[in-house]
Structure formats: C-alpha cells, structure tokens
C-alpha cells in the first residue's frame, strides 16, 4: 500500500510518498525560515499563505519523483493537529479535497505522533515498549509508549517548551531567527563553568518541567555581564547545559519508573548534539539504547506524517467528508491500534 503524506502544521511544507513494502519513496520539504526571519518568529497568516503557494507544486514533485500515479495512491494522510489553525487547514483542505477527487480514503494524523514514530523510518528502529522524549518548539513531553496509540504522558513542560525557550533566549541575545540552532552553534565556543544556570523543578519529585525561568535568568545574566562575543558564547553554553541537564534528570527518573531499556528522542530539539550525546551516555550506563531520527526528520516533515498515517490507515482509520483541524490535541487522547 502507498500513501501521500501532507504536513503543514507550522512553518514547513512537507510532502512525502510512503510505501509499506518499499519504504519512503519521496520526501519534499520547503522551509519558510527566510519568510519569517525579518519578524523574528513565525507569523501565522504569512505561514498559511505560503503553504497555499507551495503545497500543490510539492505534491506534484513527490508524485513525479516516486513515479506514482493517482492509481498507485491508496490513501491521503495529513496533519490535522496540533499546530497553527490556519496552516493546519491548508493541509487538511488539500488532503481531503485530493482524497475526494481521487476517490481515496483520507486519514487525519496527530503531529506529535508523527514525531514520536519518526525513528521508525530508520533501518535500526525501536521496538515497543519504549520511553519517548518529544522536544520541539511547541511541545516537551515524556511519554510511556506501549504500542501505537497506547501513550501515557508522564511529564511535560508547564510553560515554555524546550525549543521555545531556546528560540526566546537566542532572541534576547540578538541572534537571527531561527535562534535555537544558532544558540547551540554559539555554545560550542563557550567556556564551561563561567556561568551556572538553574535546573528548574529538578529539586522536587515528578516529571513535569519548566523552562520559562531560564529565559529570565539569561536576560538578567546578559544585562549584568554585557554582550561581547565570548560572554555570549559562555551564556549560550550555560543555558544549553541547563536545559539538557534538566531533560536528562527527568528522563532518568522516567526510566527508573518504567524500567524500560529503550529511549526515543524526537522533535526539532532532538537534533541538538549535546542532548544526543548525553542521552546516549545515560542509556549506555544503564545497558540500554537511544533511538532518534536522522537530522532532516527531526524538524517538521512529510515523511513522519506519511509513516504515522500509514499505520492508522492499515488499522482501518478513515476520515469523514467534513474538513477540520485541531490546534490543541492531547497525544494521549488518540485511540490505540490493536
């Protein structure tokens, strides 16, 4: 079976063709970074309009690259939430309209389930059950995963997501959008130990997290110590280390609680090299293993949506003719695939 996957939840237009026998046949991605750079962040209306311009040309490219005709496509799957409602509606409308025109089934996909399952696109994929750390610009979740759809959210950020905190702190430092990756790059030049940032909510039990206070601590540190190049690098390193250490502490607690030996990290922040290294060391020390998608599948993409949609489609999930989007959609409300 073969599906067309459409991702338009925020500021990337992702299209993919996935075959359950041959794997990923085509992966097209257009990023709106240049469009939003002048504003220092995503402008929802501009994002929606750009998705409208790009989604059909990218679908045509994916169909051509995969040598797929309409007859080859068994279903159209698309991100229905969570995300920016206008952007989501572009993908939902396009996906549902194509499904209707082609007389194919349509499947609505949960964006975070796409991220959670993205490591399964790799040759060395995790087996169930496992613990998942989902870290992106909009979400930070620790999830117990028993099977597809059997999710228990064990901990989450009560304010800013980790990726959001990275971007906001980078903006305070005057770094260009998108700030998170630039802050991490700057941190490579930092001197360890010059600044020590707090690790919020690690001195109390539980798995919930908080990152907004780190932004305030960074702002105060910048105001007190200036913004010369080395100081900026030192602050970036201290900030990054505090976020990574917090995530490590929370994952260790969750692993203790579940007893799992497999850890999945996914989402945009999972591309952070310090996070990957430290989580890898943590799992090695416990006799376990860490899994993550290749870098191009860490950020939003159509491949993860196509894969997740395929699993739902094969389980018999179908969407009605109505078109809708769900900007807020808790991951643990998804039905299980038995």
């Amino acid at each position: 079976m073969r599906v067309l996957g459409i991702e338009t939840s925020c500021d990337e237009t992702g299209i993919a063709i996935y075959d359950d026998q041959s794997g990923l046949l085509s992966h097209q991605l257009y990023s709106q970074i240049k469009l939003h750079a002048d504003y220092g962040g995503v402008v929802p209306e501009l994002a929606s309009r750009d998705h409208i311009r790009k989604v059909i040309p990218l679908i045509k490219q994916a169909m051509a690259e995969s040598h797929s005709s309409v007859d080859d496509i068994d279903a159209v799957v698309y991100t229905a939430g969570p995300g920016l409602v206008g952007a989501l509606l572009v993908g939902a409308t396009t996906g549902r309209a194509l499904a209707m025109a082609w007389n194919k089934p349509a499947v609505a996909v949960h964006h975070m389930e796409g991220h959670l399952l993205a490591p399964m696109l790799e040759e060395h994929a995790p087996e169930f059950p496992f613990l998942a750390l989902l870290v992106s610009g909009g979400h930070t979740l620790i999830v117990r995963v028993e099977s597809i759809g059997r999710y228990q959210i064990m901990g989450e950020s009560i304010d800013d997501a980790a990726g959001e905190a990275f971007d906001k702190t980078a903006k305070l430092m005057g770094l260009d959008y998108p700030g998170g990756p630039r802050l991490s790059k700057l941190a490579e030049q930092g001197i360890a130990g010059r600044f020590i940032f707090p690790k919020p909510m690690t001195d109390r039990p539980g798995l919930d997290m908080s990152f907004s206070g780190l932004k305030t601590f960074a702002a105060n540190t910048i105001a007190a110590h200036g913004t010369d190049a080395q100081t900026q690098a030192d602050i970036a390193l201290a900030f990054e280390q505090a976020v990574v250490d917090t995530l490590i502490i929370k994952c260790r607690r969750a692993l203790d609680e579940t007893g799992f030996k497999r850890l999945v990290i996914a989402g945009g922040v999972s591309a952070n090299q310090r996070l990957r290294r430290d989580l890898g060391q943590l799992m090695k020390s416990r006799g376990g293993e860490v899994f993550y998608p290749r870098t191009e599948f860490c950020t939003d993409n159509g491949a993860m949506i196509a894969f997740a949609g395929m699993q739902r489609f094969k389980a018999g999930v179908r969407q009605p003719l109505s078109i809708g989007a769900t900007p807020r959609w808790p991951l643990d409300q998804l039905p299980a695939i038995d």
Side-chain angles (χ1 to χ4, degrees):
M1 290 189 288
R2 189 173 296 186
V3 301
L4 164 67
I6 303 172
E7 155 62 22
T8 63
S9 66
C10 189
D11 59 344
E12 273 119 0
T13 311
I15 305 296
I17 307 292
Y18 183 84
D19 188 281
D20 66 341
Q21 298 298 317
S22 304
L24 187 63
L25 302 181
S26 179
H27 163 54
Q28 305 293 325
L29 184 67
Y30 176 78
S31 174
Q32 299 177 359
I33 286 177
K34 291 183 179 179
L35 175 66
H36 301 290
D38 289 341
Y39 304 95
V42 177
V43 181
E45 178 64 22
L46 295 182
S48 301
R49 293 181 182 185
D50 211 43
H51 285 309
I52 293 171
R53 286 190 288 265
K54 301 298 182 182
V55 65
I56 296 300
L58 289 177
I59 289 173
K60 290 180 177 179
Q61 290 179 31
M63 295 285 283
E65 183 179 74
S66 64
H67 304 290
S68 298
S69 67
V70 172
D71 291 338
D72 296 319
I73 301 299
D74 295 289
V76 180
V77 305
Y78 57 88
T79 303
L84 301 176
V85 64
L88 289 168
L89 282 171
V90 175
T93 302
T94 302
R96 199 63 196 81
L98 284 177
M100 186 183 300
W102 295 349
N103 195 28
K104 308 289 183 179
V107 179
V109 178
H110 192 292
H111 179 74
M112 295 309 294
E113 183 170 58
H115 276 304
L116 189 151
L117 299 179
M120 294 186 176
L121 288 162
E122 306 304 326
E123 184 175 349
H124 183 52
E127 296 180 357
F128 298 110
F130 56 78
L131 187 73
L133 172 65
L134 303 182
V135 276
S136 68
H139 300 83
T140 301
L141 303 170
I142 296 176
V143 186
R144 179 183 182 127
V145 181
E146 298 288 350
S147 62
I148 295 178
R150 297 189 184 278
Y151 308 134
Q152 176 193 354
I153 297 177
M154 301 178 68
E156 59 188 321
S157 177
I158 62 173
D159 41 52
D160 288 354
E164 184 180 6
F166 264 98
D167 288 340
K168 287 181 177 179
T169 300
K171 191 170 184 178
L172 287 171
M173 299 174 71
L175 301 179
D176 292 336
Y177 173 84
R182 298 181 190 278
L183 186 149
S184 294
K185 184 69 175 178
L186 182 61
E188 296 175 4
Q189 310 301 318
I191 299 172
R194 181 181 174 191
F195 298 108
I196 304 296
F197 277 39
K199 303 174 183 62
M201 297 182 68
T202 57
D203 59 347
R204 67 186 74 175
L207 298 176
D208 286 341
M209 295 156 278
S210 171
F211 297 108
S212 65
L214 286 175
K215 177 190 65 178
T216 303
F217 195 92
N220 293 337
T221 304
I222 293 168
H225 296 276
T227 57
D228 64 273
Q230 187 59 57
T231 296
Q232 277 209 327
D234 297 343
I235 292 173
L237 175 59
F239 174 85
E240 181 183 63
Q241 190 65 67
V243 173
V244 170
D245 286 351
T246 298
L247 294 172
I248 296 291
I249 291 168
K250 298 295 183 173
C251 283
R252 183 185 296 115
R253 291 180 185 175
L255 290 164
D256 288 341
E257 184 174 330
T258 61
F260 290 167
K261 295 294 185 180
R262 289 179 288 270
L263 174 67
V264 161
I265 55 171
V269 183
S270 70
N272 182 281
Q273 294 303 304
R274 184 180 300 276
L275 180 62
R276 290 191 176 198
R277 182 198 69 197
D278 290 359
L279 283 176
Q281 292 174 351
L282 171 66
M283 295 309 294
K284 184 177 180 180
S285 70
R286 303 173 68 94
E289 193 171 4
V290 64
F291 300 83
Y292 40 76
R294 71 196 79 167
T295 303
E296 64 185 304
F297 293 158
C298 290
T299 54
D300 297 348
N301 62 87
M304 68 182 193
I305 300 304
F307 180 84
M310 173 65 82
Q311 312 315 307
R312 294 277 168 186
F313 173 60
K314 291 171 70 173
V317 176
R318 303 290 186 271
Q319 293 306 120
L321 289 176
S322 60
I323 299 172
T326 310
R328 296 182 181 275
W329 189 1
L331 181 64
D332 55 0
Q333 289 185 3
L334 286 174
I337 293 179
D338 296 318

